[in-house]
Amino acid sequence: MSWQQRISRRLEERAAAQAWRCRSALQPLDGCRIRFEGRDYCNFASNDYLGLSRHPAVIEAWRQGASLYGVGSGGSGHVTGYTPAHQRLEEALAAWLGYPRALLFISGFAANQAVIGALLDKEDRIVADRLSHASLLEAASLSPAALRRFVHNDLPSLAGLLDKPLGGQQLVVTEGIFSMDGDAAPLADIAALTRDRGGWLMVDDAHGIGVLGDEGRGSCHRAGIRPDILVVTFGKAFGVSGAAVLCSESLADYLVQFARHLIYSTAMPAAQAQALHAALAQIRAAEGLRAALQRNIRRFRHGAGLLPWQLAESQTAIQPLIVGDNARALALARQLRARGFWVTAIRPPAVPAGTARLRITLTAAHSETDIDELLEALRDGESQ
Ligand SMILES: *Cc1c(COP(=O)(O)O)cnc(C)c1O
């Protein structure tokens, strides 16, 4: 089969499975409204949970950073791309989260790939929650270590895998809040079990950082644990993009030597680091926004409990409605769109087969009316 035949065949299969993905060029209007092809929508699909992507102080910090440092970093951090702005942000993140060191990465995807790629050898084992993010599972399957996946949030399943004989080291991998389900990992129990078996724990808290815990320190802080490796990302509640790995002094030194995504990739712009520093200050003081988000979550769950779909075990901003069938999920998303709500239908392989869903995300910027109207549109959609 030629390259072209292979590509055409795979595209046809995608379309036939109702799994076709496409992008829409959306114009953001404010905290939760977007414009597409001349029409305005209320956005229930964004991870900008606190609305910080448009915060004036964050925008101003980026502007000033650009004036001071230019818009590009000009190289990897190992060459000339590391500035006092990067250094200050790393120090602030480490102090905020209670770690000796923080290392910046351009994305959460890169951070996960870099850590797993640099750390694991052939005789090692990665024991990851089955529902871990694609960036973690992909990194794990690319690494020479064995990948074993435990049943989602299931401690006996985790223990069973950890107890299997092994020559090398083992790394337990989970998320703080699961990106497609919104539920929380039992972090304290996982940490205890991992420590007991002599392994290391890596937690990706992309969806917990900024929104959970005191000053938004995230899932681990809330659970009273400090994993060996904590990955936080800045594309969600921080409203920007990028990521940081929090770890010990020696692991940070090790990653600076061996993490290929740091060495062979242009560092994040210093202006972005300045903006992130400003976003961090906003996050620490955002108790009001976090409370507004919690009110919105409660209001949505109360209303959605009366709908016929299974409501997930989620107390977070991620509120999936599991519809099951791909075509049905797409049809519902289309009906919502016709009513002015932007919600995405998430289908396999992003989620397990037969669990296509509307992944509704709430933010502090939604009003009670936005939520009530979405619920009404869902009720009407269901009866069609
Ligand atoms: C979004 C996300 C990532 C990827 O982070 P980016 O900064 O967007 O690359 C990694 N892990 C989880 C759990 C995520 O939800």
Short mmCIF file of all heavy atoms in Angstrom, two decimals, residues 107-109 112 133 135 175 179 204 206-207 233 236 242, ligand 1:
data_model
loop_
_atom_site.label_atom_id
_atom_site.label_comp_id
_atom_site.label_asym_id
_atom_site.label_seq_id
_atom_site.Cartn_x
_atom_site.Cartn_y
_atom_site.Cartn_z
N SER A 107 5.45 22.53 27.69
CA SER A 107 4.08 22.01 27.78
C SER A 107 4.06 20.84 28.75
O SER A 107 5.10 20.25 29.06
CB SER A 107 3.57 21.55 26.41
OG SER A 107 4.23 20.36 26.03
N GLY A 108 2.87 20.50 29.18
CA GLY A 108 2.71 19.33 30.03
C GLY A 108 3.07 18.07 29.27
O GLY A 108 3.64 17.13 29.82
N PHE A 109 2.71 18.07 28.00
CA PHE A 109 3.03 16.90 27.17
C PHE A 109 4.55 16.69 27.15
O PHE A 109 5.03 15.58 27.37
CB PHE A 109 2.50 17.13 25.75
CG PHE A 109 2.31 15.87 24.97
CD1 PHE A 109 1.05 15.31 24.80
CD2 PHE A 109 3.40 15.22 24.41
CE1 PHE A 109 0.89 14.13 24.09
CE2 PHE A 109 3.24 14.03 23.70
CZ PHE A 109 1.98 13.49 23.55
N ASN A 112 5.94 15.47 30.66
CA ASN A 112 5.71 14.05 30.93
C ASN A 112 6.62 13.17 30.10
O ASN A 112 7.19 12.18 30.59
CB ASN A 112 4.24 13.70 30.68
CG ASN A 112 3.34 14.24 31.77
OD1 ASN A 112 3.79 14.48 32.90
ND2 ASN A 112 2.07 14.44 31.47
N HIS A 133 -3.43 10.27 31.22
CA HIS A 133 -3.40 11.10 30.01
C HIS A 133 -2.49 10.49 28.93
O HIS A 133 -1.48 9.86 29.23
CB HIS A 133 -2.87 12.47 30.41
CG HIS A 133 -3.04 13.52 29.36
ND1 HIS A 133 -2.02 13.90 28.53
CD2 HIS A 133 -4.12 14.27 29.01
CE1 HIS A 133 -2.46 14.86 27.71
NE2 HIS A 133 -3.73 15.11 27.99
N SER A 135 -0.29 11.73 27.16
CA SER A 135 1.12 12.13 27.22
C SER A 135 1.91 11.22 28.16
O SER A 135 3.10 11.00 27.95
CB SER A 135 1.25 13.59 27.68
OG SER A 135 0.61 13.78 28.93
N GLU A 175 -2.86 10.69 37.77
CA GLU A 175 -3.23 12.11 37.70
C GLU A 175 -3.87 12.49 39.02
O GLU A 175 -4.42 11.65 39.72
CB GLU A 175 -4.24 12.33 36.56
CG GLU A 175 -3.62 12.09 35.19
CD GLU A 175 -4.62 12.28 34.05
OE1 GLU A 175 -5.56 13.09 34.18
OE2 GLU A 175 -4.44 11.61 33.03
N SER A 179 -8.50 13.79 33.53
CA SER A 179 -8.86 14.85 32.58
C SER A 179 -10.17 14.58 31.84
O SER A 179 -10.82 15.52 31.41
CB SER A 179 -7.74 15.05 31.57
OG SER A 179 -7.48 13.86 30.87
N ASP A 204 0.58 13.80 37.89
CA ASP A 204 0.31 14.87 36.93
C ASP A 204 -0.95 15.57 37.41
O ASP A 204 -2.05 15.00 37.38
CB ASP A 204 0.11 14.22 35.55
CG ASP A 204 -0.35 15.21 34.49
OD1 ASP A 204 -0.76 16.33 34.83
OD2 ASP A 204 -0.33 14.83 33.30
N ALA A 206 -2.46 18.36 36.26
CA ALA A 206 -2.87 19.38 35.28
C ALA A 206 -4.20 20.04 35.65
O ALA A 206 -4.37 21.25 35.47
CB ALA A 206 -2.97 18.74 33.90
N HIS A 207 -5.13 19.24 36.17
CA HIS A 207 -6.48 19.78 36.42
C HIS A 207 -6.75 20.11 37.88
O HIS A 207 -7.84 20.57 38.22
CB HIS A 207 -7.55 18.82 35.89
CG HIS A 207 -7.47 18.66 34.41
ND1 HIS A 207 -8.04 19.55 33.54
CD2 HIS A 207 -6.85 17.73 33.66
CE1 HIS A 207 -7.80 19.17 32.30
NE2 HIS A 207 -7.07 18.06 32.35
N THR A 233 0.71 21.89 35.11
CA THR A 233 0.67 22.50 33.78
C THR A 233 -0.01 23.86 33.87
O THR A 233 -0.80 24.12 34.77
CB THR A 233 -0.05 21.60 32.76
OG1 THR A 233 -1.44 21.58 33.06
CG2 THR A 233 0.49 20.18 32.79
N LYS A 236 -4.21 25.18 31.88
CA LYS A 236 -5.56 25.06 32.42
C LYS A 236 -5.83 26.25 33.36
O LYS A 236 -5.95 27.36 32.89
CB LYS A 236 -5.73 23.70 33.07
CG LYS A 236 -6.05 22.62 32.03
CD LYS A 236 -4.93 21.73 31.64
CE LYS A 236 -5.30 20.84 30.47
NZ LYS A 236 -4.32 19.79 30.25
N GLY A 242 2.44 25.90 29.14
CA GLY A 242 3.71 25.53 29.74
C GLY A 242 3.47 24.59 30.90
O GLY A 242 2.32 24.23 31.20
C1 LIG B 1 -3.65 18.90 29.37
C2 LIG B 1 -2.94 17.79 30.02
C3 LIG B 1 -1.59 17.54 29.75
C4 LIG B 1 -0.85 18.25 28.68
O1 LIG B 1 -0.50 19.50 29.08
P1 LIG B 1 -0.17 20.59 27.98
O2 LIG B 1 0.50 21.65 28.72
O3 LIG B 1 -1.50 20.99 27.41
O4 LIG B 1 0.69 19.93 26.96
C5 LIG B 1 -0.95 16.58 30.49
N1 LIG B 1 -1.59 15.85 31.40
C6 LIG B 1 -2.90 16.05 31.66
C7 LIG B 1 -3.56 15.22 32.71
C8 LIG B 1 -3.62 17.01 30.96
O5 LIG B 1 -4.91 17.18 31.20
#
